[in-house]
Amino acid sequence: MAKRANGEGNIRKRTDGRWLVTFPTGLYKENGKREYVYKYCNSQAEAAEALRQLQSEKAMGVCHSKSAVKTGDWINTWIEKHKAPKLAPATLTSYRNNFRVHIKPYVGEIPLRELTTYHIQKMLDGIGGSLSTFVKNYNVIHGALEKAVELGMIPRNPCKGVAFPEDDEKEMRVLTQEEQQRFIAALDGEYYKVMLLTYLYTGMRAGECIPLQWKDVDLNKRTIRVNKKAILNHDFTKHSAKQEIQDFCKTKSSKRTVAITAGLTAILAEHKENMRERAEALGLEWSEDSLVFWNTRNKIVQYGNLKESLNKICRKAGIEGATMHTLRHTYATRCFEAGVDIKAISEQLGHANVKTTYNIYIHLLEDTRAKEIDKLSGIDKFIASEVTTGNAIVIPFPERGKAV
C-alpha cells in the first residue's frame, strides 16, 4: 500500500483483530496537539472505505472535530456545499437569508456537539413573526443537523422535540366583487393596465407574468404557457439584489398551460398589436420572442416598479391591504364563486396537488358548501312544524318503545 501524505490519515490493524482508522481534523487541541478522528472497523476493506469517506467529507468542508466546529460554521457549510447545487435560486436565497438574519446570531457560536433542543426552541421562539417564518427557519436548521447526524458529527438531531406555535396565519386578502370593479376602473390610463389585468384574470404568480413572451401566448386557443419566472438573486457581498429570469419552474406543476377568458384574450390581442406598432415606431426588433410586457424604457419590467404601480392604483381606488398576491387570491375566489371544479382551479394556479388548493381555500369551500345546502330549503316542509308549513305533511317521531 502506497504511503499516504500528511493529513490524509492512516489505517492499521490492532492486536484484537479490528482495524483502526486515524484521521486528522485539521484542527488543534488547547494543548497544541493535533486533533484526530478515530473509527474502528471489522475489516481492512471497511476501514479503507471509512477513510475515503472522511477524506471526501473534509474536501467538502465538513469538519469532524468533536469540540471546535461551531453550529454556524456547519450550517453555512451545509447550505453552500450540500444544498446550493440542488436548490432553485429563490429557495437558496431564502436559506441564506434565514441563516444570516435569524439563525447565526442566536446559535452560530455554540459548538455543534453542545447544541441542545433548548437552544433551538429559544432561537425559534425569539425570531417572532408568523408560523411560516418559524417553519422556514426550522427547516434550515433541521436539515443541517440531520445531515450532521448522517455524517456522524452528532449522535442525534436536537431539533426533535421542538414545539411549534399555533397557526396564527392572517386571513388572506381578497378583493370583493365591488372592490374588483373599482380596481379595474382605476386601471384606466395606467401604464401597467394590461399586465395587472392579466394577473387578475389568470391567477399567475408575481414572477410568472414578467418574462412572458408572445410565443407563450396562444390567442387562438386562449392559453398562456408558463415555463419561466423572474426571481431576485441576492448578492450578500454587495448587499444588493438583481432580478434574473429563471428558465425553469420550481415544480413540475408550476410549468403549466393556463386557460384564459375571452375578455382577456381580446385585451391581449389589442395589446399585441399596440406593442408591434410601438416597436416599429421606435425601430426596435419585434417577433414572437419579444416580451409581452415592457417597462417605459422598452425593457423587462422590474418587480419593484410593478409593486409600486399596484400600490398607486389601489390608493386611487380606495383599496387597502392589497398586494400582488391579492390578485392571485381574488382570481381563485371568483373561480370558486362561479362553481369551477377545484381540480381545474388547482391546475390553473399551478399547485402541486389539489390538497394544497383545498388547504389554502378551505374557507371558500365551506362557504360554497353552506350555500349549496341552503338550496335544500325547499324540502324543509317535510320536517318543519305546521305553524311554519301550513298544510305540509309532518312526519312524527315514533313513540317510546315502538318500532318504526
Side-chain angles (χ1 to χ4, degrees), residues 18 355 384:
R18 291 187 298 169
K355 184 178 179 182

mmCIF file with all atom_site columns, all heavy atoms in Angstrom, residues 18 355 384:
data_model
loop_
_atom_site.group_PDB
_atom_site.id
_atom_site.type_symbol
_atom_site.label_atom_id
_atom_site.label_alt_id
_atom_site.label_comp_id
_atom_site.label_asym_id
_atom_site.label_entity_id
_atom_site.label_seq_id
_atom_site.pdbx_PDB_ins_code
_atom_site.Cartn_x
_atom_site.Cartn_y
_atom_site.Cartn_z
_atom_site.occupancy
_atom_site.B_iso_or_equiv
_atom_site.pdbx_formal_charge
_atom_site.auth_seq_id
_atom_site.auth_comp_id
_atom_site.auth_asym_id
_atom_site.auth_atom_id
_atom_site.pdbx_PDB_model_num
ATOM 1  N N   . ARG A 1 18  ? -9.335  -5.925 15.046 1.00 0.00 ? 18  ARG A N   1
ATOM 2  C CA  . ARG A 1 18  ? -10.064 -4.849 14.383 1.00 0.00 ? 18  ARG A CA  1
ATOM 3  C C   . ARG A 1 18  ? -9.089  -3.906 13.683 1.00 0.00 ? 18  ARG A C   1
ATOM 4  O O   . ARG A 1 18  ? -7.890  -3.914 13.949 1.00 0.00 ? 18  ARG A O   1
ATOM 5  C CB  . ARG A 1 18  ? -10.906 -4.070 15.400 1.00 0.00 ? 18  ARG A CB  1
ATOM 6  C CG  . ARG A 1 18  ? -12.082 -4.856 15.962 1.00 0.00 ? 18  ARG A CG  1
ATOM 7  C CD  . ARG A 1 18  ? -12.959 -3.962 16.827 1.00 0.00 ? 18  ARG A CD  1
ATOM 8  N NE  . ARG A 1 18  ? -12.233 -3.449 17.990 1.00 0.00 ? 18  ARG A NE  1
ATOM 9  C CZ  . ARG A 1 18  ? -12.689 -2.490 18.787 1.00 0.00 ? 18  ARG A CZ  1
ATOM 10 N NH1 . ARG A 1 18  ? -13.876 -1.938 18.533 1.00 0.00 ? 18  ARG A NH1 1
ATOM 11 N NH2 . ARG A 1 18  ? -11.982 -2.088 19.832 1.00 0.00 ? 18  ARG A NH2 1
ATOM 12 N N   . LYS A 1 355 ? -54.795 19.011 -2.799 1.00 0.00 ? 355 LYS A N   1
ATOM 13 C CA  . LYS A 1 355 ? -54.785 19.204 -1.351 1.00 0.00 ? 355 LYS A CA  1
ATOM 14 C C   . LYS A 1 355 ? -54.251 20.585 -0.987 1.00 0.00 ? 355 LYS A C   1
ATOM 15 O O   . LYS A 1 355 ? -54.735 21.228 -0.053 1.00 0.00 ? 355 LYS A O   1
ATOM 16 C CB  . LYS A 1 355 ? -53.927 18.115 -0.689 1.00 0.00 ? 355 LYS A CB  1
ATOM 17 C CG  . LYS A 1 355 ? -53.924 18.181 0.832  1.00 0.00 ? 355 LYS A CG  1
ATOM 18 C CD  . LYS A 1 355 ? -53.094 17.055 1.423  1.00 0.00 ? 355 LYS A CD  1
ATOM 19 C CE  . LYS A 1 355 ? -53.086 17.154 2.946  1.00 0.00 ? 355 LYS A CE  1
ATOM 20 N NZ  . LYS A 1 355 ? -52.244 16.077 3.556  1.00 0.00 ? 355 LYS A NZ  1
ATOM 21 N N   . ALA A 1 384 ? -90.620 20.441 8.924  1.00 0.00 ? 384 ALA A N   1
ATOM 22 C CA  . ALA A 1 384 ? -90.880 21.632 9.728  1.00 0.00 ? 384 ALA A CA  1
ATOM 23 C C   . ALA A 1 384 ? -92.215 21.521 10.443 1.00 0.00 ? 384 ALA A C   1
ATOM 24 O O   . ALA A 1 384 ? -93.043 20.670 10.139 1.00 0.00 ? 384 ALA A O   1
ATOM 25 C CB  . ALA A 1 384 ? -90.861 22.867 8.829  1.00 0.00 ? 384 ALA A CB  1
#
